[in-house]
Every structure is written in structure tokens, then in C-alpha cells.
Amino acid sequence: MDNRARMLRVALPRGFPGVAGKLNAPGRGAAPWLLGVIGAVGLLTAGGSATAWATCRCGKLPVSGEAARVIVGLCFVAVGLIAMSQRRRRRIGLLMVAVGLTWFIYDVGWVYMPLTYTIGTLGAGLYQPILAHLTVVFPSGRIRSPVDRTVVVGAYGLYGLASLGTQILWDPRDSGCPCPTNLLLLHRDAQLYAIAEQASSALLIVVTAAVLAVLVWHWRRAGLPGRRALTPVLAASMPIAGLVVATTIVGENFLPPLAVLALTALPLAFLAGLLRMRLERAAVGSLVVELEGSARIGRIRDALARALHDPTLEVAYWLPSQKGYVDGDGRPLTLPAEVSDRSVTFLERAGQPVAALIHDAEVDNNPELVEAAAAVARLAIENERLQAEIKAQLQQVRASRARIVATGDAERRRIERDLHDGAQQRLVTLSLVLGLARDQAAATADIALEQVLDEAAEQLRLALAELRELARGIHPAVLSEAGLHAAIESLADRLPVAVIVASSPVTRFEPAIEAAAYFVVAEALTNVVKYAHATVVHVTVMYSDGHLTVEVVDDGVGGADPSRGSGLVGLMDRVGALAGRLDVASEPGRGSRVTATLPCMPRQLPDNHGVGDSPPAGSLGQ
Amino acid sequence: MHVRACSVVLATVLIVDDHAEFRSVARRLLQRSDFHVVGEAADGSSGRAAVRLLRPDVVLLDIQLPDEDGCELCRALSAEPEAPCIVLISSRDASDYGVRLTSCGALGFVAKADLSVAALDAILEGRR
């Protein structure tokens, strides 16, 4: 399979293209002079055929029969020329022309000379494998699967075998024909020839059946555009296949001219298939109307999916800043591998990538439609690409904000730990040393020294308490050690107001979530103590449906305005960085309610940190 | 839990803490009473070895050890036969640890700044 060919590139020019034909896409139609030459060759061949038949001494075929033959051949050439004049249909057109020209080889035999007669009889059926080839690769012109390849190669191979196999045994004298000598005759044996003739007919039937089977298979696998092209061919090929087989078995000479004429249905069916695919472009018209509509994200995808008849179509937008593709929401997107049933059409502008359409490989069968649709959707695509770029940047900013908060938290934890491991540890040891000194002073009954040491110990105790409070303000150790509930309980215990803490089953969350929830509660409680004149505060911690909610409700004076430089504004940033929300309701005289909701998942801990499931082992100190 | 009867009289003590200065002061503080400090360890693994070797009556165990969590070590030690009485210590407050202190098999907790013979006695008294 030619994968490079499937990666179609569509260039979008700077101006708005009125018609798709203006697109500077690869694969234009064949040059007019070439078409003229081929047409002339076709006409000359047909004329030559007619002349050969007319001048033939035998003239077994009636005039109507020969006329029908000439019409069929010319029909194939003409349809082939029409196809060749279209972009991307040159291969198909060339095959049709080839069928038409080889169709006339039969007539070379009317020139009653050994060489021409031999060529005519040997090549009379050469159009058959070419027709098989044409049918299998219609409408793309390319062999697209190993099955296709097998059938096409088999058709040529078996034709060569059958044609040569019968030719070397055929002696015209056996049929009483006044025909010239068969130059390829190797062995004159009428009986053997009859067997070879039957065998070759059988092979032809097998090949015809295989081609029909592949055609039906293609039709079943095809999407709507593919079926539109294949349906006329499928409809015409069924009876014509029977006709071809019959022609081979009974010989052209005995077919009624009308039956021969019916063969013209086949090139006409191919023509109809190609025209129906062109009509698909009308779908682009409705695309224009759809794109006029709302600026809803994804509407281009939906509209293109409808226009290209591929519900699985995806639009990937190129972000120059990230050197990669993203979807409409700015999320990074990986294009499918080259070898897959998905195909990619790149949209470019002035050599720069704009977007890529990821679609079913089937859509490649109708590149004109893709080009037309892409050209029409260009402005909207560029618009959505900008939106996708903004969204991608927003996601980066969000991630960066969350990282800044997380880094800040980590830094606070580190400072608290450093204080604990350093200054606090030394001061604690110092207080014990002072205790020892005091005991010694007591032992020597040095009361003055004892008093000084007592004072020093008291000062040290205060210093330690202040240091501990400072460390707690930077980061509460209990939050890391025992979790949100314990931290809030510990906070509540130290406040000069009644705090009732209600908490759902103890669960741990990511440190950033716990810290944000804790600091919201701490700030709200600080405000209550400072301004609210409340008698009781209720703190609630709940987790449900992937959301942690903390709520602080007091019965104080209310009227707090979070926008007036309160610490709550900073907390809104912190909560927002975690994709959560913070609400403050505080009407004068009706107390205040601070609610923070944070999306999060419970954290699995390696041990049972903070999960008190066993009773106390004994009396705890102090 | 297989806890030995913690005798206050001539109890042997092992101090497990990563601060050498603290161990030294604590040793001096306890030596002046009926406690007999039989060993010191600077981290969890050597503390574990020392408990098996010295069979102390009491272990003063710091919660934040450099190589492992003191509460976890406490849980492991108290699950062993003939387990010593374990008193957790920390330069932080008990309130900083919440329920972790009560769930790991320790006999009690004493903040380092409050460490004294009397405080230790009080905890061990409660046990007897």
C-alpha cells in the first residue's frame, strides 16, 4: 500500500478560494495536447479496425456487429479521456483508454496476413485483465490491499497463460476457416485445443467471479462517497460479467450486435460513478451555511464530519509555539501512524501547517471533496486554531499556577522542618541543660543563681513557644503528620472562641489540597476571632463525588467583604490554582459563611498515618 | 501486647534520637535518678539492634528519625515478645501528631523540652 500517497497535503492559498479548482494541489488533469493525441489514436484505431473488417475477404461478422464493437471501444476511450482530464483520475482514465485500445486488437485479425492474424487472435482478450484491473482499483486508481493486488496480478497472469496456451494449439485449418497461418502454432491437435479452450474459459470465469467479489467487498467496506462511485459500476458489471463470459464461451462472432452494444453500459457506469463523486462537492455548499452559525467549539469538526461523511473525523490544530498538534480544547494530540486505517490530510498555508484532518482512509477516495471542504472551512479553521492556541496557553498557565502553589507549599514545609531540626532542637536541648544547671544550683543551695536560671528557663520557654507558633504559621506539622481533621482540631483548640468541628471519615488528600483547605479554615477562623464577635463557629469538612468541601460558618456580625484586602483574596488564588472555588457569604447581622470546594481524589498512604483505628496504648504524657 | 512490667526502680533506658547533644543531656538528666541509661542510638536501625541486644526496660524514642518513622518503629518494637515500655519524644507538641501517637503502641509521649525524671515517672507510674 502506498502510504505516502495517503498523506494528502492540501495547500490553502492566501486569498479565499472561490472554487476548489484554484487550489494548488498536486495531480492536475492530463494536458489537453495529450488528451488530443490519445483521442486521435483512438479514432485512428477505430477507423483502422473498421477498414480491416470492411476489406476482409471473409467478413463473417455482420456490419451491425462490427459497428457495435467500434462503438464499445470508442466509448471506453472517450470515458477514459474524460477521466484523465480530471485531477487525480489520470490513472483510472489511462486504464479505461487502455481497455478501449486493446479492445480493437481483435480487429487486427481481419487483416488476413499470418502476422496480423496471429496478433489479432492472441490479443483479442487482452482488454479483459485490464478491465479487471480497472474494476478493482476504481475509483482511486490505486491498489489498496493485498487482495486487490492478488486479483489484478492473477488476472494478467492467468490471461497470459490461457491466451498463449490456446494459441500454440490453434490451427485455423481445423475450423475450415480460410484464415491465414497461426505463426505461434506449435502442435496441431484439435482435441487438445478444445480442452485448452475450455480450460481458458473456466479460468476467465474464475477471474471474473473474483473481480466481482472484490467489487462487492469494496462496496460493503466503502463509506457513503465510495458507495456513490461504486454503485453504478456494481450494477452494470453484474450482467456485463455474464455477457463477457458468454462472449468468451460462444465466441464474439455469434453474439447479437445488441448484446455487444450493451457492453457500452460499463464505461458509462464508470463515468456515472466519477460524476456522482463530483456531485459530492455539493455537500460543501451546506458546509458554508453551517459555518455561518454559532462560534461553538467543535462545530467545524461536526460540519466537516457531515460534509465528508466521516463521523469519526477529528480536526488537529497546529500550534507553532509547541511545534505540535492539539485538539479544539488545546490538549496535545498525536497524529495516527502512517500505517493505520486512519488517514491524515494536512492543511497548509504559505508552506506553514495550519491544521490536520484525521479521518477514515476511505475519505482519500474523494480528494476533491476534502480539498473543497478544507478551502471553505479555512477561515473558520484558522479561527478555531487560534482559540485552541489560547486554550493550550491557558492550560499551561493553569499548570504553571498549580506548580507555583505546590512549590510554595513545599518551600514552607522545608522551612518549617529546618526550624524544627535546627533552632527548635537546639533550644530544646538548651532548656534541658538549663534544667540541669538549676538542679545543681539547688543542690548547692545557691538561691540567687537558681532564680536567674529559673528566669532564663522561663524566657527560653516563651521563645520556644513563639518559635513553635511561627513554625506552625509557616506550615502546621500536624497537617502533614495527622491530616486535615487533626490540624483543624488543633487549630480550633487554640482559639478563644467555641469551635465545633464536624468531619467526614478521616481521609488524606494531596498535600496541596490539604494545605489549601487548612489555610482557608485558618484564615476564616482568624477573621472570625478578629472581627465577627461570634459565640460559636462551625467548621465542616466533607468529601463526596470527588470534591473536598470545607465550610466555616459563624454567628457573628457578618458584613465581611472578601475583596477588601482580606487574606481570603490570596486564598482565592490558591484555591483557584487547584481548580477549586472559594465563596464568601456575609450579610450584615447574619454571620458569615466561607466555603471552599476543591476537586481531588483521596490519597492512599503506605502506613496508617493519621488513621487512628486502635485504642490508646496508655496514658499520654503531660 | 507483650509489655514488661516497667519498674521505676533501677529501670534501664535506651535513648534513640539523632541529635547527639540531646542524647548527652538526656543521659545526664536521667542518670541522676533511678534510671540507668544503658545505651544510645542515632537512628532507627541501630535503635532496633540496641533494643534486641540491651533489652532495656524503657526506650525513649524520637518520632522523627533520619531513616524511619518513629511511630512505625514503635509499632514494630511493641509487637515483639518481651517488648520494652516505649515513650515517644519529639521537639514538637503532642498536638502536632494527633491520633498517630495513640495508635502505635507507645506507653506515652513527652515533649523534649518537658523531659524530666518526674515526667517520665508519671508516664511509667500510669503503667504500673
Side-chain angles (χ1 to χ4, degrees):
Chain A
M1 212 184 305
D2 187 354
N3 287 304
R4 277 169 306 146
R6 287 177 48 192
M7 304 297 265
L8 174 71
R9 282 181 190 277
V10 178
L12 298 171
R14 284 187 184 280
F16 188 86
V19 289
K22 281 189 189 169
L23 285 165
N24 186 21
R28 287 179 201 170
W33 67 265
L34 182 62
L35 298 178
V37 168
I38 293 174
V41 169
L43 285 174
L44 282 175
T45 310
S49 296
T51 312
W53 167 82
T55 55
C56 185
R57 286 179 309 230
C58 56
K60 267 184 181 172
L61 200 64
V63 64
S64 56
E66 179 59 17
R69 280 190 46 78
V70 168
I71 290 170
V72 169
L74 281 177
C75 219
F76 265 107
V77 173
V79 170
L81 288 175
I82 292 172
M84 281 181 78
S85 70
Q86 289 183 22
R87 285 173 311 118
R88 303 188 193 285
R89 300 287 174 234
R90 291 171 65 174
R91 287 164 185 240
I92 280 291
L94 215 51
L95 281 172
M96 288 182 187
V97 169
V99 171
L101 292 181
T102 49
W103 171 263
F104 289 117
I105 293 177
Y106 173 86
D107 295 296
V108 176
W110 295 125
V111 180
Y112 265 27
M113 289 188 291
L115 181 62
T116 49
Y117 179 76
T118 306
I119 291 173
T121 45
L122 181 68
L126 183 57
Y127 75 92
Q128 290 162 357
I130 302 176
L131 188 58
H133 184 173
L134 168 65
T135 311
V136 167
V137 301
F138 189 80
S140 69
R142 292 191 192 90
I143 286 173
R144 304 204 308 158
S145 75
V147 177
D148 294 0
R149 189 180 304 279
T150 308
V151 171
V152 170
V153 171
Y156 283 110
L158 292 179
Y159 166 74
L161 194 70
S163 172
L164 214 58
T166 48
Q167 189 75 22
I168 55 173
L169 299 171
W170 163 240
D171 191 333
R173 286 168 290 178
D174 288 340
S175 62
C177 169
C179 307
T181 321
N182 172 14
L183 292 179
L184 288 175
L185 177 66
L186 290 181
H187 177 71
R188 184 180 177 181
D189 185 334
Q191 267 190 329
L192 199 57
Y193 169 76
I195 293 169
E197 186 83 313
Q198 278 174 0
S200 79
S201 297
L203 283 179
L204 181 76
I205 291 165
V206 168
V207 170
T208 306
V211 169
L212 280 183
V214 165
L215 190 58
V216 170
W217 179 55
H218 283 178
W219 189 88
R220 286 177 61 96
R221 285 205 331 171
L224 194 58
R227 285 192 178 184
R228 288 180 84 109
L230 288 173
T231 303
V233 178
L234 190 62
S237 63
M238 289 292 180
I240 284 173
L243 205 59
V244 168
V245 171
T247 306
T248 312
I249 293 170
V250 301
E252 285 88 342
N253 302 3
F254 305 103
L255 270 182
L258 269 181
V260 175
L261 203 58
L263 285 174
T264 53
L266 201 52
L268 293 178
F270 281 117
L271 182 63
L274 291 179
L275 288 179
R276 280 161 65 97
M277 284 192 86
R278 282 182 73 100
L279 280 178
E280 277 291 306
R281 278 197 239 169
V284 173
S286 60
L287 184 63
V288 176
V289 177
E290 281 193 59
L291 292 179
E292 288 290 314
S294 71
R296 182 176 61 78
I297 284 298
R299 79 202 157 93
I300 294 183
R301 192 218 76 82
D302 297 347
L304 283 174
R306 272 192 293 276
L308 301 181
H309 305 289
D310 179 8
T312 65
L313 179 130
E314 292 169 274
V315 183
Y317 301 95
W318 173 258
L319 288 201
S321 55
Q322 297 188 7
K323 297 217 180 324
Y325 286 92
V326 294
D327 66 8
D329 289 324
R331 285 185 293 264
L333 206 128
T334 313
L335 297 184
E338 285 207 4
V339 183
S340 76
D341 57 351
R342 305 291 285 164
S343 187
V344 182
T345 301
F346 292 97
L347 307 183
E348 294 177 347
R349 186 174 182 232
Q352 296 298 311
V354 173
L357 306 182
I358 305 166
H359 49 73
D360 198 292
E362 178 61 40
V363 175
D364 285 341
N365 275 335
N366 201 350
E368 297 95 335
L369 179 63
V370 179
E371 283 167 21
V376 166
R378 182 181 71 96
L379 277 179
I381 282 178
E382 289 208 44
N383 189 15
E384 272 206 0
R385 189 187 71 76
L386 289 175
Q387 287 189 40
E389 188 161 15
I390 289 169
K391 283 190 175 175
Q393 283 170 354
L394 193 64
Q395 282 198 342
Q396 284 179 334
V397 170
R398 265 198 205 116
S400 142
R401 193 156 77 134
R403 278 198 301 275
I404 289 170
V405 168
T407 310
D409 279 347
E411 196 61 9
R412 292 172 86 124
R413 280 198 298 278
R414 189 187 64 75
I415 293 171
E416 192 274 340
R417 212 176 170 88
D418 283 355
L419 276 178
H420 166 259
D421 289 345
Q424 208 173 341
Q425 202 70 244
R426 292 202 179 281
L427 290 179
V428 160
T429 310
L430 177 59
S431 81
L432 293 184
V433 172
L434 273 180
L436 283 175
R438 194 200 162 280
D439 287 355
Q440 278 189 2
T444 56
D446 189 339
I447 295 169
L449 181 61
E450 207 181 325
Q451 275 183 342
V452 171
L453 288 174
D454 275 343
E455 275 174 41
E458 177 59 14
Q459 285 302 315
L460 187 56
R461 195 185 63 75
L462 291 174
L464 260 172
E466 275 178 29
L467 184 64
R468 206 170 271 142
E469 205 52 40
L470 174 70
R472 211 175 257 142
I474 293 168
H475 177 82
V478 60
L479 189 59
S480 322
E481 293 289 341
L484 192 54
H485 181 82
I488 292 174
E489 290 268 19
S490 158
L491 188 64
D493 285 348
R494 297 197 302 276
L495 289 184
V497 61
V499 182
I500 298 167
V501 183
S503 179
S504 53
V506 183
T507 314
R508 298 298 305 263
F509 304 94
E510 287 306 311
I513 298 287
E514 289 185 341
Y518 173 83
F519 284 116
V520 166
V521 173
E523 182 63 29
L525 287 177
T526 304
N527 288 346
V528 169
V529 170
K530 277 187 189 165
Y531 314 112
H533 308 292
T535 55
V536 67
V537 190
H538 287 270
V539 180
T540 316
V541 181
M542 278 179 306
Y543 179 78
S544 69
D545 292 338
H547 285 82
L548 175 68
T549 306
V550 289
E551 196 167 57
V552 180
V553 182
D554 70 64
D555 61 350
V557 296
D561 182 0
S563 62
R564 272 200 323 236
S566 140
L568 282 172
V569 175
L571 286 171
M572 278 180 178
D573 290 345
R574 182 187 267 271
V575 170
L578 299 166
R581 55 174 298 166
L582 181 66
D583 296 304
V584 179
S586 184
E587 282 181 44
R590 305 183 69 171
S592 300
R593 176 186 295 266
V594 176
T595 313
T597 309
L598 294 150
C600 59
M601 294 306 286
R603 182 161 56 118
Q604 291 298 317
L605 291 170
D607 50 38
N608 62 348
H609 271 232
V611 183
D613 51 358
S614 61
S619 65
L620 279 166
Q622 308 181 89
Chain B
M1 193 160 37
H2 314 278
V3 181
R4 263 184 283 178
C6 301
S7 165
V8 178
V9 183
L10 278 174
T12 55
V13 179
L14 170 72
I15 303 172
V16 184
D17 191 296
D18 57 327
H19 285 82
E21 295 93 339
F22 172 81
R23 291 201 306 269
S24 151
V25 176
R27 174 189 277 268
R28 276 186 279 159
L29 197 125
L30 296 181
Q31 294 284 40
R32 295 179 310 139
S33 69
D34 290 339
F35 290 108
H36 178 52
V37 178
V38 290
E40 295 176 20
D43 55 33
S45 56
S46 56
R48 207 182 281 263
V51 166
R52 286 177 190 150
L53 186 70
L54 303 171
R55 295 267 149 224
D57 299 319
V58 178
V59 177
L60 283 189
L61 179 58
D62 188 20
I63 295 179
Q64 276 166 324
L65 292 168
D67 58 343
E68 68 181 298
D69 181 77
C71 288
E72 289 308 306
L73 178 57
C74 176
R75 196 191 308 280
L77 288 178
S78 46
E80 289 185 9
E82 293 289 296
C85 298
I86 300 172
V87 175
L88 292 168
I89 53 174
S90 173
S91 55
R92 290 196 169 117
D93 280 348
S95 66
D96 284 342
Y97 295 103
V99 289
R100 289 188 62 204
L101 295 180
T102 57
S103 63
C104 64
L107 189 58
F109 171 88
V110 59
K112 283 184 186 175
D114 300 329
L115 181 65
S116 65
V117 173
L120 209 52
D121 271 346
I123 292 173
L124 297 176
E125 283 286 344
R127 178 71 206 168
R128 283 198 302 176

